[in-house]
Amino acid sequence: MSELKIIATIQVKPDYLDDVKKILYSLADGSRKEEGNVSYDLHESIKDPSKLSIIEVWKSQEAINIHNNTKLFKDFIKFIDGKYDVLDIDVIKQIY
């Protein structure tokens, strides 16, 4: 199986933006150390700084499953509850 990419976009409520960014930095640092991670990059919209995108590359679905069960990821999910207006997650694979 080929690598999988996750594209997650979060529209953060303005009052929580700094705190969400801090935890995302921590999540990115920890995720990059995971064996199944290829890359984990955070992005901010130029038009709307409260719109954040995470582009992750993982070696396999199994690597994603392991990541999703880490304490770091579970703590992140709990932390952002109620702090965003939109959360869109898509898992994609390269076909050409």
Side-chain angles (χ1 to χ4, degrees):
M1 180 183 249
S2 63
E3 294 176 343
L4 297 174
K5 294 178 183 173
I6 297 176
I7 301 173
T9 303
I10 305 171
Q11 182 70 51
V12 181
K13 293 178 180 178
D15 290 346
Y16 301 108
L17 186 58
D18 290 339
D19 291 335
V20 170
K21 281 184 179 181
K22 279 184 192 176
I23 198 164
L24 277 171
Y25 298 156
S26 177
L27 180 63
D29 288 341
S31 299
R32 289 174 181 152
K33 295 174 185 171
E34 292 180 42
E35 184 178 327
N37 182 259
V38 176
S39 65
Y40 199 104
D41 300 312
L42 305 175
H43 304 269
E44 176 183 88
S45 170
I46 291 174
K47 291 187 333 185
D48 181 358
S50 67
K51 184 177 180 182
L52 306 175
S53 294
I54 307 159
I55 301 175
E56 312 167 36
V57 181
W58 295 93
K59 292 180 181 177
S60 65
Q61 182 61 55
E62 181 182 6
I64 294 171
N65 295 345
I66 291 169
H67 168 70
N68 288 346
N69 283 299
T70 63
K71 181 179 181 332
L72 186 64
F73 182 76
K74 288 179 179 181
D75 288 348
F76 167 72
I77 293 300
K78 286 179 189 172
F79 180 83
I80 65 167
D81 186 41
K83 294 178 175 73
Y84 62 88
D85 292 317
V86 176
L87 174 60
D88 182 55
I89 301 170
D90 198 10
V91 180
I92 62 173
K93 64 180 180 178
Q94 186 172 342
I95 59 171
Y96 184 73

